[in-house]
Amino acid sequence: MSYVWSTEKYSNYSEDFETIEECIKEAKNTGCKAGTVIWIGKTEEAYIRQVDLTNILEDLHNAVYDDIGECAGDWYIEDIDNQESYEKCEEAINDLVVKFIEENGMKPTFEKVTDIEPYVIK
C-alpha cells in the first residue's frame, strides 16, 4: 500500500509515498505552510475487469435489429437463464480484454485513491 497527497481533495495527487509522514514532509518541501490543509489517501490498483456481458448482448441485439429490421425485435439474447454459463462467459471476455490491454502496453498508469483524509500541516 502507498499514499498520495494533494492540496485539493479530488485531483492532482502526488507520486506515491510509503507513509503519511513522507506525504506531509513532501508537502512542506513544495511550499505548504503551517495551517495548510492537505488531503492524503491510500492508493489501489485500477480495476479494469469491468466488461459487462449484458451490455455486449444488448449492443449486439441492437446492431442486428438495425441491420435486419423488425424481425430481429423478438430475439431476446439479453434474457439470461443459465447464470453459470453467463458468469463463465463474462469472465472469459474480461480475461481477453485484460490480455489485449496488457499485450498492447495500455495498462493503466493511474491508481484509485481511497480513504482520503484531511491533514493540517504543523
Side-chain angles (χ1 to χ4, degrees), residues 70-89:
E70 286 187 32
C71 61
D74 291 336
W75 186 41
Y76 294 112
I77 61 172
E78 300 93 337
D79 292 342
I80 309 303
D81 292 330
N82 186 338
Q83 191 65 30
E84 184 179 337
S85 175
Y86 175 89
E87 289 172 4
K88 185 177 177 181
C89 185

Side-chain angles (χ1 to χ4, degrees), residues 22 32 43 53-54 65 79 81 94 98 102 114:
E22 288 177 0
C32 291
T43 61
L53 179 56
T54 301
Y65 183 87
D79 292 342
D81 292 330
N94 274 287
V98 169
E102 289 174 349
T114 64

Side-chain angles (χ1 to χ4, degrees), residues 77-117:
I77 61 172
E78 300 93 337
D79 292 342
I80 309 303
D81 292 330
N82 186 338
Q83 191 65 30
E84 184 179 337
S85 175
Y86 175 89
E87 289 172 4
K88 185 177 177 181
C89 185
E90 187 173 69
E91 184 176 337
I93 290 169
N94 274 287
D95 290 345
L96 183 64
V97 169
V98 169
K99 181 180 177 185
F100 174 82
I101 288 170
E102 289 174 349
E103 286 179 355
N104 289 281
M106 297 185 303
K107 205 167 177 199
T109 57
F110 51 86
E111 299 168 308
K112 180 178 181 180
V113 180
T114 64
D115 301 327
I116 303 166
E117 298 288 337

Side-chain angles (χ1 to χ4, degrees), residues 4 16-17 19 26 29 50 55 57-58 64-65 71-72 84 87-88 90 98 103 108:
V4 292
D16 291 3
F17 292 93
T19 66
E26 180 64 19
N29 289 342
Q50 299 190 37
N55 288 337
L57 294 173
E58 287 175 1
V64 170
Y65 183 87
C71 61
E84 184 179 337
E87 289 172 4
K88 185 177 177 181
E90 187 173 69
V98 169
E103 286 179 355

Side-chain angles (χ1 to χ4, degrees), residues 49-61:
R49 295 183 61 83
Q50 299 190 37
V51 176
D52 182 352
L53 179 56
T54 301
N55 288 337
I56 293 170
L57 294 173
E58 287 175 1
D59 288 347
L60 177 59
H61 185 189

